[in-house]
């Protein structure tokens, strides 16, 4: 009995151990898969058979360690050959196969990491070889894992497929073959996609030299000549004019005239501020018919300077020399050559913007002086009593409703002072000037730009016997482009014309021009103009009306030379005797530019 008792106790202990092993196995089977094994984004897909095989190994190892029977554990533990790394794609590195730091188990799957210090795999610890009996009963497992570290600059990760295939001696052969094929499949990686983009056969961008150059807006525009910090664009035009009225006077007759026109424009290429210089010269000489010999010209410069505190200064200076026309109220009858009128003018303006308010203060000076008139009998007549200087100051205030619309008002005060206080007829011609205007400034880019205004102007003459020159004023300078290649312009100006005729104060001249320019072809341009002038005399009941029309063509042979022609008609009608005339003319010439 005593011998049976220990055997019975050992039997109970064996049953308890078997129950413990069974419970442990069940718990191991119900244990969820490790978290890192489920992270398919980093590790790819893991087969269910590989997860179950790994759990079975852990359960067996734990049971054998508790029982303390190392030999039985060696028999039960399968002899798994060392893991062989098969990279999923080129450039991939093997996972760390070292022992888990927490459990010390070599069967735990490696943890995903971006640390480059752990890229080198840790060699596995040596195992004791199982007995031959254990080798026949053990399962042969192979585990494959693959990782891919994405390019850190793009911060992307591409998953690579890894498959664990469990193959036992008693397992189905077809299942093992399927798992092996899955392990050999490769996934598309970021590196392989990048290599496809760099394929030599891929489409390439054309070379810069082969790309088409942008066409010029105006291929026949002058290129200009570089001179210091300015770009100068000169031109010369030479032609013949056939006219029915040589000097546009009531006594004028037909003539063939030679006309020479010189023009130039100089524009600065400074980084800050800007300056422009414009000039022209026109010379007319009779070839046959009515005698004409005159010359006129003008040169004007403008300087724009940006100052501090949103201040801008604009300075202008000009010189003009024009002979008195035969149709002028100051024309002298019975002369061989009309007196030459020269003008020197300049202005300085300061612009200031305060919020939407805009202020401009401009001071201007203009001095006119006249040469002597040559009479038909060979004598000369002095015109010094007409020399005068006009000083004006103008204050403009505008409010910017929008960047395209700015209404404004102007107040002008001035003084006209004659060099000779009392003229040859005994009148004091000096006067005081006062005017006011209101208008609108437009800025719609190339479509529409400019300004127009209307108001009242008065010049009170010092001599009380002479009536003050006063009247409405209209001024305009607008450019409209309804379509590309077409420009329509409208200009209007009100001018006070003085005189030294006895008993007369002078007159107000209203001048208006409507112009149109059309680029028919790149080398063919047409232009047209309509003009209306109205002169209202002060002190007498008199007025003049001048109507004019003109059309022309310019055909460019190349960028530097072209043929130009124009046809013009002009007619003056007056209620004063001896002033009516009609002049028709046609012009043909050659224009050269640079």
């Amino acid at each position: 009995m005593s011998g049976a008792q220990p055997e019975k106790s050992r039997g109970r202990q064996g049953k308890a151990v078997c129950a413990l092993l069974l419970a442990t196995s069940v718990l191991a089977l119900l244990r969820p898969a490790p978290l890192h094994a489920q992270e398919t984004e980093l590790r790819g897909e893991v087969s269910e058979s590989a997860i179950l095989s790994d759990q079975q190994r852990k359960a067996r190892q734990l049971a054998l360690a508790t029982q303390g029977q190392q030999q039985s554990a060696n028999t039960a533990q399968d002899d798994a050959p060392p893991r062989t790394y098969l990279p999923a794609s080129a450039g991939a590195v093997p996972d760390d196969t070292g022992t888990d730091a927490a459990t010390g188990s070599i069967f735990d799957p490696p943890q995903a990491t971006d640390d480059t210090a752990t890229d080198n795999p840790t060699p596995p610890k040596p195992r004791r070889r199982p007995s031959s009996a254990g080798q026949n009963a053990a399962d042969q497992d192979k585990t494959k894992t693959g990782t891919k570290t994405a390019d850190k600059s793009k911060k992307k990760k591409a998953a690579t497929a890894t498959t664990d295939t469990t193959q036992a001696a008693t397992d189905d052969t077809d299942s093992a073959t399927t798992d092996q094929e899955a392990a050999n499949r490769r996934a598309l990686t970021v590196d392989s996609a990048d290599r496809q983009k760099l394929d030599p056969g891929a489409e390439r961008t054309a070379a810069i030299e082969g790309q088409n150059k942008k066409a010029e807006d105006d291929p026949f525009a002058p290129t200009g000549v570089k001179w210091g910090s300015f770009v100068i664009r000169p031109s010369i035009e030479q032609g013949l004019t056939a006219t029915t009225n040589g000097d546009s006077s009531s006594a004028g007759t037909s003539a063939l005239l030679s006309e020479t026109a010189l023009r130039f424009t100089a524009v600065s290429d400074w980084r800050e501020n800007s300056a422009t210089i414009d000039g022209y010269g026109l010379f007319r000489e009779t070839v046959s018919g009515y005698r004409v010999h005159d010359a006129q010209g003008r040169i004007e410069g403008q300087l724009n300077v940006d100052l501090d505190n949103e201040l801008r200064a604009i300075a202008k200076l000009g010189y003009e020399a024009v002979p008195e026309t035969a149709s002028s109220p100051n024309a002298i009858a019975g002369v061989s050559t009309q007196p030459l009128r020269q003008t020197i003018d300049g202005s300085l303006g300061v612009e200031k913007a305060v919020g939407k308010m805009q202020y401009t203060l401009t001071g201007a000076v203009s001095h006119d002086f006249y040469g002597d008139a040559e009479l038909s009998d060979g004598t000369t007549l002095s015109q010094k009593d007409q020399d005068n200087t006009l000083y004006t100051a103008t204050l403009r205030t505008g409010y910017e409703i929008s960047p395209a619309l700015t209404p404004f008002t102007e107040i002008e005060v001035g003084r006209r002072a004659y060099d000779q206080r009392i003229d040859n007829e005994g009148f004091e011609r000096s006067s005081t000037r006062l005017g006011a205007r209101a208008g609108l400034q437009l800025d719609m880019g190339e479509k529409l730009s400019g300004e127009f205004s209307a108001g009242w102007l008065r010049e009170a003459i010092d001599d009380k016997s002479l009536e003050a020159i006063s009247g409405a004023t209209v001024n305009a300078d607008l450019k409209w482009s309804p379509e590309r290649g077409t420009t329509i312009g409208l200009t209007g100006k009100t001018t006070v014309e003085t005189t030294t005729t006895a008993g007369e104060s002078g007159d107000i001249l209203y001048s208006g021009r409507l112009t149109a320019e059309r680029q028919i072809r790149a080398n063919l341009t047409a232009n047209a103009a309509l003009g209306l002038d109205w002169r209202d005399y002060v002190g007498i009941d008199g007025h003049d009306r001048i109507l004019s029309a003109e059309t022309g063509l310019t055909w460019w042979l190349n960028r530097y030379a072209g043929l130009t022609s124009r046809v013009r008609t002009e007619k003056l009608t007056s209620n004063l005797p001896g002033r009516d005339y009609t002049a028709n003319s046609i012009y043909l010439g050659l224009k050269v530019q640079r």
Side-chain angles (χ1 to χ4, degrees):
M1 295 297 291
S2 60
Q5 187 69 25
E7 291 180 2
K8 188 175 182 179
S9 299
R10 284 194 297 269
R12 292 177 179 176
Q13 293 178 357
K15 292 180 179 180
V17 171
C18 291
L20 179 59
L21 289 175
L22 181 59
T24 304
S25 300
V26 173
L27 291 176
L29 291 173
L30 297 178
R31 179 185 175 186
L35 181 59
H36 48 261
Q38 301 176 7
E39 296 177 354
T40 57
E41 182 180 359
L42 299 177
R43 290 299 179 184
E45 297 179 356
V46 181
S47 64
E48 181 179 0
S49 60
I51 297 175
L52 295 177
S53 177
D54 188 42
Q55 293 173 349
Q56 290 175 358
R57 290 194 196 99
K58 291 185 178 181
R60 292 177 184 177
Q61 183 182 9
L62 180 59
L64 293 176
T66 305
Q67 189 176 2
Q69 299 177 359
Q70 184 64 35
Q71 185 174 359
S72 299
N74 292 336
T75 302
Q77 185 177 2
D78 59 342
D79 184 16
R83 301 179 184 177
T84 303
Y85 174 73
L86 296 178
S89 61
V93 296
D95 290 336
D96 187 3
T97 58
T99 305
D100 185 88
T103 63
S105 173
I106 63 173
F107 299 102
D108 289 343
Q111 300 294 331
T113 178
D114 290 336
D115 190 357
T116 57
T118 62
D119 288 344
N120 297 328
T122 304
K125 294 183 179 180
R127 304 179 185 177
R128 291 192 300 174
R129 297 187 61 82
S131 61
S132 58
Q135 291 179 7
N136 294 333
D139 297 331
Q140 296 180 357
D141 299 331
K142 294 182 179 180
T143 306
K144 298 180 180 181
T145 56
T147 59
K148 177 63 183 177
T149 303
D151 188 352
K152 292 184 178 181
S153 61
K154 298 181 180 179
K155 296 182 180 180
K156 294 181 179 180
K157 296 183 178 181
T160 60
T162 59
T163 308
D164 291 336
T165 306
T166 304
Q167 182 178 2
T170 59
D171 290 343
D172 193 301
T173 305
D174 294 338
S175 177
T177 304
T178 303
D179 293 342
Q180 185 64 29
E181 291 178 355
N184 292 334
R185 287 197 299 266
R186 299 192 179 205
L188 182 64
T189 62
V190 175
D191 293 339
S192 62
D194 291 341
R195 284 196 296 272
Q196 291 177 3
K197 294 180 181 180
L198 298 178
D199 192 322
E203 185 178 350
R204 296 183 178 180
T205 304
I208 296 177
E209 292 80 7
Q211 296 179 358
N212 295 331
K213 295 182 179 180
K214 182 180 179 181
E216 297 183 64
D217 293 338
D218 188 357
F220 294 93
T223 57
V225 179
K226 183 73 173 178
W227 186 62
S229 59
F230 284 82
V231 177
I232 303 177
R233 295 179 174 86
S235 68
I236 180 172
E237 187 176 326
Q238 177 63 52
L240 295 174
T241 299
T243 179
T244 60
N245 193 330
D247 61 352
S248 298
S249 66
S250 57
T253 59
S254 62
L256 179 63
L257 307 177
S258 171
E259 289 192 12
T260 303
L262 301 175
R263 296 180 178 86
F264 77 93
T265 299
V267 181
S268 67
D269 60 355
W270 304 338
R271 178 177 301 179
E272 297 180 356
N273 308 322
S274 63
T276 59
I277 302 175
D278 298 315
Y280 82 92
L282 179 61
F283 307 91
R284 299 199 309 163
E285 190 71 32
T286 298
V287 176
S288 64
Y290 189 81
R291 184 175 180 273
V292 176
H293 174 75
D294 61 36
Q296 66 182 44
R298 177 173 176 81
I299 183 172
E300 180 179 2
Q302 178 173 330
L303 175 63
N304 301 327
V305 179
D306 291 332
L307 305 175
D308 295 336
N309 300 324
E310 297 184 358
L311 285 175
R312 187 184 185 208
I314 302 175
K316 296 181 181 180
L317 182 63
Y319 168 77
E320 183 180 41
V322 179
E324 198 73 74
T325 63
S327 59
S328 171
N330 294 323
I332 301 174
V335 298
S336 59
T337 302
Q338 292 289 342
L340 182 67
R341 177 173 57 85
Q342 303 179 70
T343 303
I344 299 177
D345 55 72
S347 65
L348 178 61
V350 178
E351 296 180 354
K352 171 70 173 178
V354 181
K356 293 187 176 183
M357 297 297 298
Q358 298 179 359
Y359 302 95
T360 303
L361 179 61
T362 304
V365 178
S366 178
H367 178 68
D368 294 334
F369 51 99
Y370 295 77
D372 296 337
E374 296 181 4
L375 303 179
S376 56
D377 58 3
T379 60
T380 59
L381 179 64
S382 176
Q383 299 292 307
K384 295 294 184 181
D385 60 343
Q386 294 193 58
D387 296 351
N388 66 87
T389 304
L390 176 63
Y391 306 90
T392 61
T394 305
L395 175 62
R396 171 185 285 198
T397 303
Y399 181 79
E400 184 180 292
I401 298 178
S402 69
L405 300 176
T406 304
F408 65 88
T409 59
E410 281 187 353
I411 297 177
E412 178 184 358
V413 294
R415 175 71 179 174
R416 187 186 301 273
Y418 277 80
D419 294 351
Q420 187 174 328
R421 190 176 67 87
I422 300 177
D423 63 10
N424 297 336
E425 301 296 333
F427 295 93
E428 295 184 12
R429 295 286 177 176
S430 298
S431 59
T432 301
R433 186 183 183 103
L434 180 63
R437 289 176 289 275
L440 180 65
Q441 181 178 352
L442 304 173
D443 186 4
M444 300 180 183
E446 297 181 356
K447 198 69 176 178
L448 179 62
S449 62
E451 66 179 46
F452 64 90
S453 63
W456 190 267
L457 180 66
R458 172 185 170 87
E459 277 198 26
I461 303 176
D462 292 348
D463 198 314
K464 302 301 181 181
S465 61
L466 299 177
E467 184 180 349
I469 303 174
S470 63
T473 61
V474 178
N475 297 278
D477 186 4
L478 296 172
K479 288 186 177 181
W480 174 44
S481 180
E483 61 180 5
R484 188 174 182 85
T486 302
T487 303
I488 298 177
L490 175 63
T491 60
K493 188 176 181 181
T494 302
T495 306
V496 173
E497 295 180 328
T498 60
T499 183
T500 56
T501 302
E504 298 183 10
S505 300
D507 62 80
I508 297 180
L509 176 63
Y510 301 93
S511 302
R513 295 289 183 275
L514 179 63
T515 62
E517 182 175 328
R518 171 66 179 174
Q519 189 174 12
I520 302 175
R521 297 176 57 185
N523 63 340
L524 183 61
T525 303
N527 58 77
L530 295 175
L532 172 62
D533 295 351
W534 178 269
R535 179 179 286 114
D536 187 13
Y537 292 91
V538 178
I540 59 174
D541 184 15
H543 59 77
D544 296 341
R545 184 187 64 190
I546 305 174
L547 296 175
S548 62
E550 179 181 316
T551 183
L553 285 173
T554 301
W555 176 37
W556 293 102
L557 304 175
N558 52 48
R559 189 160 199 160
Y560 306 103
L563 298 176
T564 180
S565 64
R566 60 177 174 267
V567 178
R568 178 180 174 84
T569 180
E570 184 175 294
K571 181 179 180 63
L572 184 148
T573 304
S574 176
N575 62 350
L576 300 178
R579 292 190 56 78
D580 294 355
Y581 74 86
T582 300
N584 301 317
S585 63
I586 183 172
Y587 170 84
L588 179 63
L590 175 65
K591 183 176 182 179
V592 179
Q593 66 180 11
R594 182 69 172 88

